[in-house]
Amino acid sequence: MDVPELLRRAACHVPVSATGEAGTTVADANEYLDHDEWEIALDILVELGDAYRTETAFWDLLAEAARLMWLSRTERWCHWRRAEVLHGVVRADLQLVDPDVAGGRRTPIPGDGHLRPLWDIGDVTAAGDPDLYVARLWVEAQPDLQPGGRAVVRLAPLSPQRWRRLVPGDVVTMHEQRPVAGIATIIESVFPG
């Protein structure tokens, strides 16, 4: 299947009434496809998928189109969003500790889901120690998060069932070593059925 066909098939998954953040619609994506503007059409469809609840097949089609166009970050985003359809969405406002403080990062966090830090979500072990869980981290709207910086992030827990009790306003801590590396306030927590 070629890129235009993949994008047209993905467009069929979006309701005609869906509108992206910039006011774009599936008709706009199809118009760009008619003019061989594949990357713009892909961007519109990704935006529509972020604004409208979609299915895994939609994200699979977009990921394959992005792969064929060598758009690796967009491909990873489509895989990330596919996983969120299956396992849920956890978004948080993350403030990293200062780089001069124990536990503080001295290098930026890559924003595209590669980092897998540990998180204290309030559970404790039988010995009374914090029970830490792994969750991948995606930084929204920027390529990375600078040391001591703040950003909205998306978390992909390896054990999402343990995170289901979290609600907006809950505070969790990020750990890369024993000291806290960041403090995050949950802003969205939505899990499938």
Side-chain angles (χ1 to χ4, degrees), residues 59-175:
W59 293 108
D60 289 338
L61 292 164
L62 293 186
E64 179 61 10
R67 185 189 70 77
L68 291 173
M69 291 191 287
W70 296 84
L71 300 171
S72 60
R73 185 176 173 91
T74 302
E75 179 185 2
R76 283 192 305 279
W77 176 245
C78 293
H79 287 301
W80 184 281
R81 291 292 286 124
R82 180 192 194 283
E84 286 183 337
V85 170
L86 293 172
H87 305 293
V89 176
V90 178
R91 296 175 65 234
D93 181 5
L94 173 64
Q95 173 67 58
L96 296 179
V97 300
D98 190 89
D100 297 329
V101 174
R105 287 186 67 91
R106 291 184 169 74
T107 59
I109 289 177
D112 58 358
H114 289 295
L115 187 69
R116 297 171 185 256
L118 296 170
W119 296 88
D120 180 351
I121 64 171
D123 292 347
V124 292
T125 64
D129 297 317
D131 202 359
L132 304 178
Y133 303 110
V134 175
R136 290 186 305 136
L137 183 142
W138 187 288
V139 180
E140 288 188 1
Q142 52 195 59
D144 55 33
L145 180 55
Q146 295 298 313
R150 182 177 181 175
V152 173
V153 298
R154 294 174 100 96
L155 304 175
L158 294 186
S159 52
Q161 68 281 2
R162 297 186 186 274
W163 295 64
R164 286 182 175 263
R165 65 176 168 74
L166 295 178
V167 296
D170 286 346
V171 176
V172 299
T173 56
M174 182 181 103
H175 301 262

Side-chain angles (χ1 to χ4, degrees), residues 7 15 19 26 35 55 61 67 79 85 93 127 130 135 141 156 178 187:
L7 295 175
T19 305
V26 72
H35 293 95
E55 301 169 348
L61 292 164
R67 185 189 70 77
H79 287 301
V85 170
D93 181 5
R178 192 172 238 350
I187 58 176

